[in-house]
Amino acid sequence: MFTVSKRVWASFLLVLAVGITLTMVISVSGQKVSRVTKDLVEVQIPRLAQTERLASAISEHERLLYEYYASKDRARLWPQIQQAEKAYLQSFIILDQASGELSLQLSALFDQLKALRNSLDVNLRGQNTHWDLARTHLEDLTKTGKQAQTIFAQIHNEIAAQSEKVSGESSRRLAAMTQMVTIFSVAVIIASALVGYFTQINIRQAAERKTLAQFPERNPSAVISLNWRGQIIYHNPACALLIEKIFGSPQRIDTLIPPHFLNKLKTWQAEHKTHVEFHYKIDQHTLNFDLSLLPDLESCHLYIEDISHRQQAFDQLEFQAYHDQLTKLPNRRSFQEAVDKLVAKNAPFSLLLISLDRFELVQSSQGYEMGDLIIDGMAKRLLEVTDETNQCATLYRMEGTRFCILIESELQSDGERVAKLLQQKMDQALEVEEHRYYFTTSMGICHYPTDADTSNQIIANVNMALNQAKSIGDHYQTYDSKFHAMKQSWLPIESGLRNALQDNQFTLFYQGKVDANSQEVTGAEALIRWFDKENKPISPGVFIPVAEQTGLIIKIGEWVIDESFRQAAQFRRENIDINVAINISARQFQHRHFITKLQDALIRQGISPERIELEITEGLIMQNVEHSVVTMKKIKDLGFRLAIDDFGTGYSSLSYLKKFPIDTLKIDRAFIMNLENDDKDKSIVRSILDLAKHLDLQTVAEGVETDWQWRYLRDMGCDSIQGFYFSKPDTADKLSQVGKGHRLQRMG
């Protein structure tokens, strides 16, 4: 019998003999393959490439001639045409050396191409180009090109056939060489495997026996071996250490095995399980059990690991994922899952979404730390409310100062009842670190399934109800479908406004201002109007609020300024002495580029600023008095006139009014409409007129619609009248027909 050493040498000699034989055979075959491949690489493949380059050059030549026909740009295109012609002639010279009869046909076609090219060039260079003849030349060029392409295809096919033949022969010889190399490689692999096998088999077996013997003893995890009936037949030292860690004293090994383990073991055996993993908790320790069932050996191995720290970390992470860090209340993720489950079960419930009013003002003065304490105190108060409801009510913190109470009840009125209870609670001060704060809340209420069909829908609807309540303050609002309709109506208006800016759907109407005594036109207020693609008017009361909210009012305002300035310049060129008044929106007035835009419009339209009066509402000025005064002074420095619109509704004090660099007060229509029958309105109007007179300001009364109103205002010393009694808003052309020095026909 051969020893391991003899088997290794026999394998080595066998591989050496096979290697020498194969080397000689491969050398002879390689020389033959080299000759065949040289012909393929040096002759056939270059001819194929030359054919493709020639076809490409013909196509480029034809494209350039078509471009020359289209543009007649001979200076740019003729050198490119000559270059393309040179390219295909050079390629043809190389190809002609081995193309036979087909090359003669190509030579004739190239002569035709050259003649057609020259004829086309002469025609296009002439002063009177004969376009029909040029198109005929182009058609002939295309036909000739197609004939050339046909010949290229024939040449290509001939060369390809020859190449395929050469390639096939090379492939056969290479395949034979590959088979020989493969045989040699297999022989080497077999010999190496035999050597490795006989050399390592004894070492591996010895190492495996030693490792298996040491594994259980040195394993840091507790290991218990059981027979098929579940009786313990072995346990390693780590089991005793684990028992000492859990109980503090030595115990029997079976104290580590969970109750009912034997019953479950029988079940797993009946189900033919081979691996089972489960957890079991002893006191404060969580143990992970990994059971391997070996039916062929009729034994089981139980691996036990203490994962208490890992489980605690997991529990902490899970708590953080579903709870707010500040208040420890369930968070928005937990809220979303709870709502989803209730909707999936079609269980009725109400949502009470709560927002703390004026919190930002307190936090900005007291700091974030105090703000967190207030939110935590608010959470405790809300928990008191949920405890007193005597219902299944769960409190969640959504974000910031927003909380939500989920009330599992069929009655829609339960949401309102909880809201009223919270309002009563909020009448009491919120005490935080010896500070007493009085807050109000805004609340939105929505009920499922009455107000929504899906979880996302009810969450959106309760937010909508809350926003409606916040607009009032210290109020709760139940959801109404009209809120959704109101919000949705903004979307098409916003989209329409953007299209209107692009498609010039806006226009300006002008309402004349007349002298209260002479009834002559003194000015006009520019009023924007929107007519959609179907020429239907859209009320400014509908689209202006949307423009304000979306910020589109900035671009719309810039258009109004530019168009008003243009019209004022037009009035001036026509010798019509009418000043134009422009309403300035709040966002436009506060925009950082407002003054620059005014200057640019003045330069662009070439109008004097004295011809323009900018109208600013009293409420706008009072939002930020100091900033407003600075901006107004810059406007005055440019030379514009300034008017306060809707005067009497913005609650400005006289101490502020004297600071404003204004020229005109416009009395709001709210004081004019009931002037005949309301003595309080008369007193207010009289006071405004007296105030303006003492401050040396011009006055304009808005909304004058009756003869009595006009005469009363005239007699009280009002300077100008604006309203339907004299003029409705109309186009600039109709206002131009009146002009200054003429009276507007009274409508009353």
Side-chain angles (χ1 to χ4, degrees):
M1 184 175 181
F2 284 100
T3 63
V4 173
S5 177
K6 291 180 179 179
R7 292 176 183 177
V8 171
W9 276 106
S11 301
F12 172 76
L13 293 174
L14 175 63
V15 172
L16 181 62
V18 173
I20 294 173
T21 304
L22 289 178
T23 300
M24 296 175 61
V25 174
I26 291 171
S27 176
V28 175
S29 298
Q31 293 176 2
K32 295 180 180 179
V33 171
S34 176
R35 289 193 297 272
V36 173
T37 304
K38 182 177 180 181
D39 177 73
L40 179 64
V41 173
E42 295 181 358
V43 179
Q44 305 301 334
I45 293 177
R47 291 180 64 199
L48 279 174
Q50 203 64 39
T51 303
E52 293 174 356
R53 283 194 290 271
L54 183 54
S56 176
I58 291 294
S59 298
E60 177 64 11
H61 182 262
E62 181 180 351
R63 185 191 68 77
L64 290 169
L65 287 173
Y66 268 86
E67 188 175 351
Y68 179 30
Y69 164 80
S71 64
K72 294 186 68 177
D73 188 0
R74 190 176 191 277
R76 178 175 63 86
L77 295 173
W78 193 252
Q80 298 180 34
I81 293 170
Q82 290 180 323
Q83 184 64 30
E85 182 175 307
K86 181 179 180 181
Y88 72 66
L89 288 176
Q90 290 176 347
S91 299
F92 173 71
I93 291 172
I94 297 172
L95 187 64
D96 183 52
Q97 298 173 0
S99 299
E101 182 179 351
L102 293 175
S103 65
L104 297 177
Q105 298 178 21
L106 276 178
S107 179
L109 290 175
F110 290 162
D111 292 337
Q112 293 179 27
L113 287 174
K114 186 173 183 180
L116 289 169
R117 182 261 291 168
N118 291 334
S119 299
L120 179 64
D121 179 44
V122 172
N123 187 9
L124 293 177
R125 278 192 301 169
Q127 294 184 350
N128 296 320
T129 301
H130 194 306
W131 294 106
D132 290 336
L133 179 59
R135 283 189 289 273
T136 301
H137 288 156
L138 289 175
E139 291 175 358
D140 292 338
L141 279 167
T142 300
K143 293 177 181 178
T144 304
K146 289 181 178 179
Q147 294 175 8
Q149 295 292 347
T150 301
I151 295 174
F152 294 153
Q154 295 177 4
I155 295 175
H156 185 277
N157 291 337
E158 290 179 2
I159 298 173
Q162 295 176 8
S163 300
E164 184 176 0
K165 181 179 179 181
V166 172
S167 176
E169 184 177 354
S170 298
S171 297
R172 287 190 297 274
R173 294 185 179 276
L174 287 173
M177 293 172 63
T178 302
Q179 291 176 355
M180 296 176 188
V181 172
T182 302
I183 293 171
F184 178 74
S185 300
V186 170
V188 171
I189 292 172
I190 292 172
S192 300
L194 290 172
V195 171
Y197 174 78
F198 293 125
T199 304
Q200 297 296 325
I201 187 169
N202 290 329
I203 298 175
R204 184 174 66 252
Q205 290 176 351
E208 286 178 355
R209 286 192 295 270
K210 185 176 181 180
T211 301
L212 288 172
Q214 294 177 347
F215 175 74
E217 295 294 326
R218 297 184 179 182
N219 195 327
S221 298
V223 179
I224 299 176
S225 293
L226 308 100
N227 59 23
W228 203 241
R229 294 187 300 275
Q231 297 172 334
I232 298 175
I233 58 176
Y234 170 80
H235 63 85
N236 69 346
C239 291
L241 295 176
L242 181 59
I243 290 174
E244 184 75 21
K245 178 181 178 182
I246 295 174
F247 299 103
S249 62
Q251 302 286 334
R252 297 196 320 271
I253 297 301
D254 58 6
T255 56
L256 289 177
I257 298 178
H260 311 297
F261 172 76
L262 293 179
N263 293 333
K264 292 182 179 180
L265 178 62
K266 293 177 181 179
T267 302
W268 294 328
Q269 291 171 346
E271 294 174 350
H272 304 289
K273 295 286 186 65
T274 59
H275 179 265
V276 178
E277 187 173 358
F278 58 93
H279 291 172
Y280 174 58
K281 194 167 185 179
I282 303 178
D283 293 334
Q284 301 301 319
H285 294 266
T286 301
L287 304 181
N288 179 71
F289 291 82
D290 197 323
L291 176 66
S292 294
L293 296 96
L294 307 172
D296 53 337
L297 301 177
E298 293 188 345
S299 64
C300 305
H301 297 303
L302 193 60
Y303 301 90
I304 309 172
E305 181 183 6
D306 186 357
I307 59 169
S308 301
H309 294 297
R310 191 191 315 166
Q311 187 64 37
Q312 290 172 4
F314 176 80
D315 293 341
Q316 181 66 22
L317 288 174
E318 186 175 28
F319 182 86
Q320 292 175 357
Y322 286 92
H323 291 79
D324 175 56
Q325 292 298 301
L326 176 62
T327 63
K328 303 301 183 286
L329 292 174
N331 60 12
R332 187 169 61 180
R333 179 180 180 182
S334 180
F335 167 78
Q336 181 72 57
E337 292 188 4
V339 171
D340 289 341
K341 289 179 181 177
L342 289 173
V343 171
K345 295 189 298 184
N346 200 29
F349 63 92
S350 293
L351 296 181
L352 178 62
L353 189 59
I354 305 159
S355 178
L356 200 60
D357 298 333
R358 300 186 308 104
F359 173 79
E360 291 78 9
L361 296 176
V362 176
Q363 181 172 260
S364 62
S365 61
Q366 300 294 314
Y368 287 104
E369 183 177 354
M370 182 59 70
D372 288 345
L373 293 174
I374 291 172
I375 290 174
D376 190 49
M378 184 64 186
K380 291 181 174 62
R381 176 159 295 182
L382 289 170
L383 284 173
E384 294 175 5
V385 173
T386 57
D387 291 341
E388 294 180 17
T389 57
N390 297 322
Q391 290 181 327
C392 184
T394 307
L395 176 64
Y396 300 85
R397 185 191 177 194
M398 307 302 284
E399 68 272 328
T401 62
R402 288 197 176 189
F403 298 84
C404 189
I405 299 177
L406 189 154
I407 307 166
E408 297 183 41
S409 171
E410 295 182 357
L411 299 177
Q412 300 182 45
S413 58
D414 284 342
E416 294 188 33
R417 186 170 63 82
V418 175
K420 291 177 181 178
L421 178 60
L422 177 57
Q423 286 181 329
Q424 294 174 5
K425 288 284 186 181
M426 296 308 295
D427 289 338
Q428 305 170 17
L430 194 66
E431 296 185 6
V432 180
E433 288 194 346
E434 300 180 356
H435 295 278
R436 295 169 61 86
Y437 298 99
Y438 288 89
F439 288 100
T440 59
T441 56
S442 297
M443 294 172 278
I445 304 172
C446 198
H447 184 77
Y448 176 87
T450 306
D451 299 325
D453 297 326
T454 65
S455 58
N456 289 337
Q457 186 177 355
I458 192 170
I459 293 172
N461 290 350
V462 76
N463 272 281
M464 198 173 298
L466 174 61
N467 291 336
Q468 189 69 17
K470 286 174 69 70
S471 65
I472 302 172
D474 191 17
H475 179 71
Y476 70 82
Q477 178 67 60
T478 57
Y479 172 75
D480 193 312
S481 58
K482 68 181 181 182
F483 300 156
H484 189 72
M486 291 167 57
K487 294 296 182 183
Q488 287 294 94
S489 65
W490 280 39
L491 298 177
I493 294 175
E494 179 184 355
S495 177
L497 284 173
R498 297 185 187 277
N499 292 331
L501 281 167
Q502 296 177 357
D503 301 338
N504 296 321
Q505 296 176 7
F506 293 118
T507 188
L508 287 183
F509 279 17
Y510 296 86
Q511 186 176 34
K513 299 178 184 178
V514 300
D515 185 277
N517 293 302
S518 66
Q519 303 175 49
E520 294 179 352
V521 180
T522 58
E525 180 179 358
L527 302 170
I528 190 169
R529 295 293 183 265
W530 178 15
F531 295 89
D532 62 15
K533 291 182 178 181
E534 299 177 358
N535 204 33
K536 293 180 180 179
I538 300 174
S539 171
V542 173
F543 71 82
I544 291 297
V546 178
E548 285 276 6
Q549 289 292 329
T550 59
L552 289 171
I553 196 67
I554 300 297
K555 289 190 175 295
I556 294 174
E558 291 174 1
W559 178 87
V560 170
I561 288 173
D562 209 55
E563 180 64 18
S564 300
F565 284 15
R566 185 199 63 77
Q567 186 58 55
Q570 181 68 23
F571 284 151
R572 189 63 176 170
R573 286 192 293 271
E574 295 175 358
N575 294 320
I576 299 174
D577 195 10
I578 294 179
N579 295 334
V580 175
I582 306 170
N583 290 294
I584 304 300
S585 71
R587 295 189 68 164
Q588 190 178 7
F589 182 77
Q590 295 164 357
H591 196 267
R592 62 185 183 278
H593 297 312
F594 176 57
I595 301 298
T596 303
K597 295 293 184 181
L598 286 175
Q599 293 173 314
D600 293 344
L602 285 175
I603 297 172
R604 190 164 49 250
Q605 300 300 342
I607 184 66
S608 174
E610 291 82 5
R611 311 290 299 178
I612 304 296
E613 185 172 67
L614 303 179
E615 297 184 359
I616 307 168
T617 63
E618 186 181 8
L620 183 158
I621 298 172
M622 296 307 297
Q623 290 177 8
N624 188 337
V625 176
E626 300 302 326
H627 175 268
S628 298
V629 171
V630 171
T631 304
M632 292 167 72
K633 287 181 178 179
K634 291 180 180 179
I635 293 172
K636 288 295 295 180
D637 291 342
L638 291 175
F640 292 98
R641 293 178 58 82
L642 277 173
I644 294 184
D645 197 11
D646 300 336
F647 185 75
T649 63
Y651 311 107
S652 62
S653 66
L654 297 180
S655 62
Y656 283 127
L657 187 60
K658 68 180 183 179
K659 295 182 180 180
F660 299 154
I662 57 175
D663 304 286
T664 305
L665 289 181
K666 297 190 71 175
I667 305 173
D668 188 76
R669 66 181 67 247
F671 304 120
I672 304 299
M673 56 191 304
N674 297 318
L675 193 59
E676 299 178 41
N677 304 313
D678 194 324
D679 291 338
K680 293 182 180 179
D681 282 345
K682 291 178 183 177
S683 298
I684 293 173
V685 170
R686 188 184 304 113
S687 299
I688 294 174
L689 292 172
D690 289 342
L691 175 65
K693 183 177 181 181
H694 286 89
L695 294 176
D696 195 23
L697 299 175
Q698 293 289 309
T699 52
V700 178
E702 296 182 293
V704 177
E705 298 183 358
T706 68
D707 183 74
W708 189 94
Q709 292 171 351
W710 160 55
R711 293 182 185 279
Y712 179 83
L713 291 166
R714 179 196 61 188
D715 295 342
M716 292 302 299
C718 184
D719 297 304
S720 300
I721 301 296
Q722 183 179 346
F724 286 3
Y725 182 67
F726 284 100
S727 171
K728 290 184 177 181
D730 212 331
T731 61
D733 293 338
K734 293 188 178 179
L735 190 63
S736 299
Q737 296 173 5
V738 179
K740 189 173 181 181
H742 295 77
R743 295 184 179 181
L744 286 170
Q745 184 177 359
R746 295 197 295 271
M747 309 296 290

